[in-house]
Amino acid sequence: MPLKNKKMSDNNIRVRFAPSPTGPLHIGGVRTALYNYLFARKHGGKFILRIEDTDQTRFVPGAQDYIIEAFKWCGIEFDEGVTKGGDYGPYTQSERKAIYKQYAEQLITSGHAYYAFDTSEELSVKRAAFEAEKKTFTYNASERLNMGNSLSLPKEEVDQLLSNNTPFVIRFKMPDEERVVMNDLIRGKVEVNTKVLDDKILFKSDGMPTYHLANIIDDHLMEISHVIRGEEWLPSLPLHVLLYRAFGWEEPEFAHLPLLLKPDGNGKLSKRDGDRLGFPVFPLQWKDPKTGEISNGYREEGYFPEAFVNMLALLGWNPGDERELFSLEELIEAFSIERVNKSGAKFDAEKAKWFNHQYLIKKSDKELAEAFAPILLKKGILADKVFVVKIVGLIKERATFVADLWDQSSFFFKRPEDYDKKAVKKRWKAASYNQMTELKEILLKTEPFTSENTEKAVKSWIEENEYGMGAVMNAFRLLVVGALKGPHLFDIIALLGQEETLERITLGLQELGRKE
RNA sequence: GGUCCGUUCGUCUAGUCAGGUCAGGACGCCAGGUUUUCAUCCUGGUAACACGGGUUCGAAUCCCGUACGGACUACCA
């Protein structure tokens, strides 16, 4: 088992989710956060939210609030972080700016990093030149001496450049040829030779650190024990490990999560896939502040947060037995990082709906009726609460979303405005008019007007007269519902009441008339 | 191109670490049943170890190779 590190056994489990506020959080990000959260809770540790906004050019207003609101909706709680506080703050990297500079300089002093003065333009010219010769330019031991930096330039010139306030970056001095052996909790041993790695920029000319530097420093300072993040970070792992070693810091455990893939074809799930295939890619609706473009969210689509979280948790992880329905508490109990899959998972919108259906039918009739109330109100329907609760109980098995409740129950609230044409053709026969007229008399005499009583009375009347059960019941349903659908008919009329049922039959008789 | 990661039914996956039941479950799909209708529900069915070598009495499982897929390859995270 890879999880034998002492950090697993003590109470110092600290994990973080560190998004950058560049837009809405997509469901892959939510899942990463969820796994971090489950891991922290499982081990009695802390879960931290840190905002990585070192790229000032990509800042999007509202993104941070969106992220926080999304987690609130999901029921994922942070112990420390932005808006929450804690002993390791500040939790926004732009507010930690001063911290990074000194560590970058420390690396220069220790010989693990150096100043570089190459401009972006010079760099792209260099890359283009290499490419023209079918070679790959790598800014590392092989080429760094041919570039403009404090390793290649005379000391006096470097000092001159620095005192002139010439823009510079700080680069990591990647060891020439060294095997770096790393461990990943999900994938096991990963090995790479530093000769294929480059001297990554740690500190940008705008005075901000890059992700690589900031994340190492913050994880160390915040005493993060386990870094659980997306697989897209795996190629950067050697750099990060080397950085810990350069600082002389103990490195955390790492776990790189498999990607969420698009449902059709291959590749990482993206915003576009949602638009294209018609399912949300984001937890909450998002309106782009620049373009005004709206992206759909699970919340707005009608998903229950419990269903959403459950569905997400099972995408890349499973408990090892055949359970599929988990509350957040049960997920915490069952979760283990070793049971996270290695390979990417294609998102399945159909299964997502199935999860929501499961949660919907599990909810009490009362709770569903309350969720249904605003929809009824919007339709201009004022209905008795008890009445709605009973209706919901009859139809909830047929619904995936709360909004479906209306399609399944509108006939309870409104008399048929028209009668399904196909149904009329199939079920409104020559005998129907007289039979329904007789039926009215039977129902008029049935007291009390319960489902059981009416069913008994109607069925024995049918038998006595040797009418066909199917013929009578379908015509009856047609008059009451307006179509051949819906739950047990006697349950429907019991809820509708005697008066309303008789009225609907009368109106239906008028409307459909005698055939022939 | 280079580096790294991955590969079991259409999809999510169990089984792989400690080789040995007709490769199990769920979603979807199909069929049958129940029913006054539709939906649900119940029962059954469909369908997979990427390929090629090797090790072994025996390989989905261990080893090597190939193919395919993905991620990364910015003064973005």
Side-chain angles (χ1 to χ4, degrees), chain A residues 2 178-194 196-197 229 231 233-239 241-242 245 251 254-257 342:
Chain A
E178 184 183 317
R179 272 178 42 196
V180 186
V181 181
M182 302 152 285
N183 185 54
D184 181 281
L185 261 17
I186 294 169
R187 289 150 218 284
K189 193 171 92 170
V190 178
E191 208 178 314
V192 74
N193 193 309
T194 56
V196 301
L197 270 17
R229 76 228 298 198
E231 188 189 323
W233 292 111
L234 199 48
S236 306
L237 182 58
L239 202 223
V241 165
L242 255 15
R245 294 177 189 170
E251 48 198 89
F254 292 96
H256 291 88
L257 270 20
K342 290 183 180 74

Side-chain angles (χ1 to χ4, degrees), chain A residues 46-117:
Chain A
K46 293 276 189 281
F47 182 39
I48 295 131
L49 175 63
R50 183 172 74 217
I51 297 293
E52 310 221 327
D53 60 344
T54 51
D55 185 354
Q56 298 155 322
T57 62
R58 293 210 308 160
F59 178 80
V60 174
Q64 183 177 316
D65 292 339
Y66 177 99
I67 290 166
I68 290 167
E69 197 188 340
F71 289 128
K72 207 173 155 192
W73 180 67
C74 292
I76 297 173
E77 290 176 344
F78 292 91
D79 302 299
E80 282 175 35
V82 173
T83 74
K84 182 91 185 177
D87 299 334
Y88 297 80
Y91 293 93
T92 300
Q93 288 187 330
S94 57
E95 292 169 22
R96 302 170 64 79
K97 197 173 168 182
I99 298 172
Y100 308 116
K101 185 74 191 287
Q102 66 180 95
Y103 283 106
E105 279 165 356
Q106 182 186 323
L107 248 25
I108 289 183
T109 308
S110 65
H112 290 98
Y114 60 91
Y115 295 105
F117 304 96

Side-chain angles (χ1 to χ4, degrees), chain A residues 109-125:
Chain A
T109 308
S110 65
H112 290 98
Y114 60 91
Y115 295 105
F117 304 96
D118 321 274
T119 64
S120 303
E121 294 72 36
E122 286 166 349
L123 254 16
S124 39
V125 165

Side-chain angles (χ1 to χ4, degrees), chain A residues 223 294 363 415:
Chain A
E223 297 181 22
I294 290 178
K363 286 193 187 292
R415 289 174 184 165

Side-chain angles (χ1 to χ4, degrees), chain A residues 265-282:
Chain A
N266 294 302
K268 202 157 67 156
L269 182 66
S270 76
K271 179 175 180 294
R272 293 285 161 226
D273 298 315
D275 301 340
R276 189 166 56 81
L277 273 10
F279 64 86
V281 172
F282 301 109

Side-chain angles (χ1 to χ4, degrees), chain A residues 424-468:
Chain A
V424 172
K425 193 174 175 201
K426 191 175 170 197
R427 293 300 192 180
W428 194 250
K429 300 293 187 189
S432 299
Y433 190 92
N434 287 341
Q435 285 174 352
M436 290 302 108
T437 309
E438 280 176 41
L439 176 64
K440 249 170 80 177
E441 295 305 316
I442 302 292
L443 292 174
L444 187 62
K445 285 186 294 191
T446 309
E447 289 287 350
F449 201 75
T450 61
S451 178
E452 295 75 20
N453 280 345
T454 51
E455 178 164 3
K456 220 167 124 189
V458 170
K459 282 190 171 167
S460 51
W461 161 72
I462 292 173
E463 279 167 28
E464 278 164 26
N465 293 283
E466 293 184 340
Y467 294 151

